[in-house]
Amino acid sequence: MHFDLPEIIKSLGYFGVWGIIFAESGLLIGFFLPGDSLLFTAGFVASQHLLNIWILIIGAFICAVLGDNVGYATGFRFGRKLFSKEDSWLFHKKHIVKTQKFYNKHGKKTIVLARFVPIVRTFAPIVAGVGSMHYRTFMSYNLVGGFIWTFGITCLGFFLGKSLPPEQVDKYLLPIIGLIIVVSLLPSIFHVIQESKANK
């Protein structure tokens, strides 16, 4: 079976990409979605004239910001009920606890930093809502984080795609995406190692 990632992104279209970004940013079930690699690949695809880069980025930015707002509202409204909620295959309290520790360590800038940390990215706005973070402050960091994340990673994929000769695009695309996935997981791996050492 031939795995053609650019064609998959093309078949998803703008709304497919935007929907995934929204879900990962603000829905409890979105923590497993591949936000970093998706944005990078979509930017790469746009460099091959399969998507319009500006429509792609602006839509992704709006959905990322809206997603975080939904996450904040969820945390603000349901608050501590999330901590007493039973674990299921879609929800684990450990993700909330992990994000709360991250939030306690990094403070308000967590809303920006979390954009680049899988799982934490999904739960940071929820924890901000649980802690009743002032909405105007939250929204300011949300806009900054959403902008840096969507514009930065998507443009990285776009300009890298533009820099490669057309005949070499297929050769380098999958290894580069693999590298992006590994790099995006490093903060979580580092955090797990630190926790393991602290518990010994």
Side-chain angles (χ1 to χ4, degrees):
M1 180 179 176
H2 181 58
F3 182 70
D4 194 334
L5 197 52
E7 283 300 319
I8 292 174
I9 296 289
K10 184 181 177 183
S11 65
L12 283 174
Y14 298 110
F15 289 103
V17 173
W18 297 340
I20 291 173
I21 295 303
F22 174 83
E24 191 188 18
S25 296
L27 303 182
L28 288 172
I29 61 171
F31 68 90
F32 63 89
L33 295 171
D36 296 324
S37 53
L38 177 72
L39 286 173
F40 179 86
T41 307
F44 203 103
V45 167
S47 74
Q48 308 305 304
H49 309 292
L50 298 174
L51 295 171
N52 181 286
I53 186 63
W54 293 112
I55 295 175
L56 174 67
I57 289 180
I58 292 171
F61 169 67
I62 292 170
C63 288
V65 170
L66 288 177
D68 261 27
N69 271 276
V70 170
Y72 178 90
T74 300
F76 188 82
R77 180 170 182 179
F78 297 104
R80 292 291 165 180
K81 290 181 181 178
L82 292 172
F83 288 91
S84 59
K85 181 179 171 64
E86 291 296 322
D87 283 350
S88 67
W89 70 281
L90 281 177
F91 176 81
H92 293 276
K93 289 190 290 290
K94 66 180 182 180
H95 296 320
I96 292 280
V97 174
K98 175 183 176 182
T99 306
Q100 189 172 44
K101 289 179 180 178
F102 192 94
Y103 187 88
N104 290 339
K105 180 178 180 181
H106 297 288
K108 296 172 184 175
K109 63 178 182 282
T110 293
I111 305 302
V112 176
L113 296 176
R115 288 289 186 184
F116 301 90
V117 184
I119 299 178
V120 174
R121 174 165 54 236
T122 301
F123 291 94
I126 296 172
V127 169
V130 170
S132 299
M133 182 180 185
H134 193 277
Y135 181 72
R136 183 175 294 179
T137 302
F138 166 78
M139 191 60 181
S140 298
Y141 283 93
N142 182 16
L143 288 169
V144 171
F147 179 85
I148 295 173
W149 185 54
T150 54
F151 277 71
I153 295 183
T154 310
C155 285
L156 180 63
F158 180 81
F159 289 116
L160 188 60
K162 283 291 187 184
S163 68
L164 292 176
E167 65 274 9
Q168 293 185 341
V169 167
D170 289 338
K171 179 181 177 181
Y172 290 106
L173 181 57
L174 286 179
I176 290 171
I177 292 170
L179 180 62
I180 291 289
I181 293 171
V182 170
V183 170
S184 69
L185 289 174
L186 283 179
S188 295
I189 294 171
F190 182 69
H191 181 73
V192 169
I193 293 172
Q194 278 189 320
E195 280 194 340
S196 178
K197 287 181 178 178
N199 292 332
K200 286 184 179 178

